[in-house]
Amino acid sequence: MGRKLLTEHINVEGIHTFDVYRKHGGYASVEKALKTMTPEEVVEEVKASGLRGRGGAGFPTGMKWSFLAKPEGKPRYLVCNADESEPGTFKDRYLMEKLPHLLIEGMITSSFALGARTSYIYIRGELLYVLRILEKAIAEAYANGFLGENILGSGYSLDLHVHPGGGAYICGEETALLESLEGKRGNPRNKPPFPAVWGLYGCPTVVNNVESIATVPWIVNNTAAEYAKIGVGRSAGTKLISAGGNINKPGVYEIELGVPVEEFIYSDEYCGGIWKGRDMKAVIAGGSSVPILPKDLILKTANGEDRLMTYESLSDGGFATGTMLGSGGFFVMDDQTCIVRHTWTLARFYHHESCGQCSPCREGTGWMEKVLHRIEHGHGHMHDIDLLVSVAKQIEGNTICPLGDAAAWPVAAAIRHFRDEFEWHVKHPQAATAPGAVFNKAESVLA
């Protein structure tokens, strides 16, 4: 059983309330940071811990903090990205719902480190019930002197606000989030300037994911050195994984980074194996935007080494034979899953969620949806498969924000690893569109 840094007390009755959370060591990092540390010392501690952003990109958190500009006369802001609209990902919602005070404690300690006097939690618009939980917890923190003026007599003051988004996937991109927070349409900004220099209201701003911020209290309380001992190499610490799909035990799991993928899928401690005893066909390891991998490549690297739940191991082989840990949205597909239908579903989502600002994304996502619809519904042509690859290449790397990449990578990877299934849909449209039809590789070879 791996160590639990974030979810150790998650099943304690009443842990969502201030009194119970405080009784179990809550807000100790605020006391330690405000009374015994300087902001610079907190930043250095987070930097030394090796904590990487848990929203998907995996950029070192402490390094991101150190980039924050500190011009005279300008306020600085910390914004928590709680938009979590990535399909297959639900760990931040779980954390906020069950442990709201952990996020608030992390916001206070992190805001102190960054010199922010006003901070925001930008939450996904559909999660209004979680917003109410956070608002109640924030009110408790104010009532007990952990928010507001002169916190714990330290001279440091902080106001914390929760802001609901409009339900747009694009607002998970940090600059689109800032635009939305300012009351504008959630369109991504050109970078540079980066938010660390020109962010919220034109002021230096750090945007961090819920899980990243919630990890800060443990690091401050237990030291960076202790945190760095957990995990493997540059993949330090624990990671929350949203496990779903055709598995026996879907849910949120906190793992020590470095657990073998095979153990995570098949052990009773985690996913409990494939639903109904079926064979596994493919896995999306880090949310819908990362490349899909077939069974052989998700369990082993192309070199035959065990694939581990780390940033480095999952990306081993590049996109040719690897994928990304991303946001930790771990989606397992059994041998009854239609990869073409699944890819078309994702393409529909990304076409719908494109903000339309960049032509490659606006037009390309629409074309990918149309062509995949054609193939899935028995009207495809063989040249459509290469057309999809071509459109994906023209989108990738040619947009202001990563949504274009997020739309292109799943399509390109699905064709890269399951091209025979796409060809079967084209060659045998009646069989492919029959109710309950499932591609059988052996039968397609004989055909």
Side-chain angles (χ1 to χ4, degrees), residues 93 96-97 123 127-135:
R93 173 202 63 78
M96 291 185 289
E97 179 182 352
I123 191 168
L127 297 180
L128 283 177
Y129 76 101
V130 180
L131 180 143
R132 304 298 179 218
I133 292 171
L134 286 173
E135 287 182 330

Side-chain angles (χ1 to χ4, degrees), residues 39-40 43 65-74 76 113-115 196 204:
E40 292 76 18
V43 172
W65 286 11
S66 68
F67 293 156
L68 188 68
K70 298 181 179 179
E72 289 295 329
K74 268 196 171 186
R76 295 184 288 280
L114 297 168

Side-chain angles (χ1 to χ4, degrees), residues 13-79:
E13 187 175 353
I15 196 67
H16 64 283
T17 65
F18 178 87
D19 290 339
V20 176
Y21 180 73
R22 186 82 169 118
K23 191 180 297 183
H24 285 80
Y27 291 99
S29 73
V30 176
E31 292 181 300
K32 181 177 179 179
L34 269 59
K35 293 180 178 180
T36 69
M37 302 175 74
T38 65
E40 292 76 18
E41 287 173 335
V42 178
V43 172
E44 287 304 313
E45 199 74 6
V46 173
K47 187 186 291 187
S49 71
L51 173 65
R52 296 168 67 170
R54 301 307 198 214
F59 191 82
T61 304
M63 186 178 295
K64 188 174 187 178
W65 286 11
S66 68
F67 293 156
L68 188 68
K70 298 181 179 179
E72 289 295 329
K74 268 196 171 186
R76 295 184 288 280
Y77 296 103
L78 172 63
V79 178

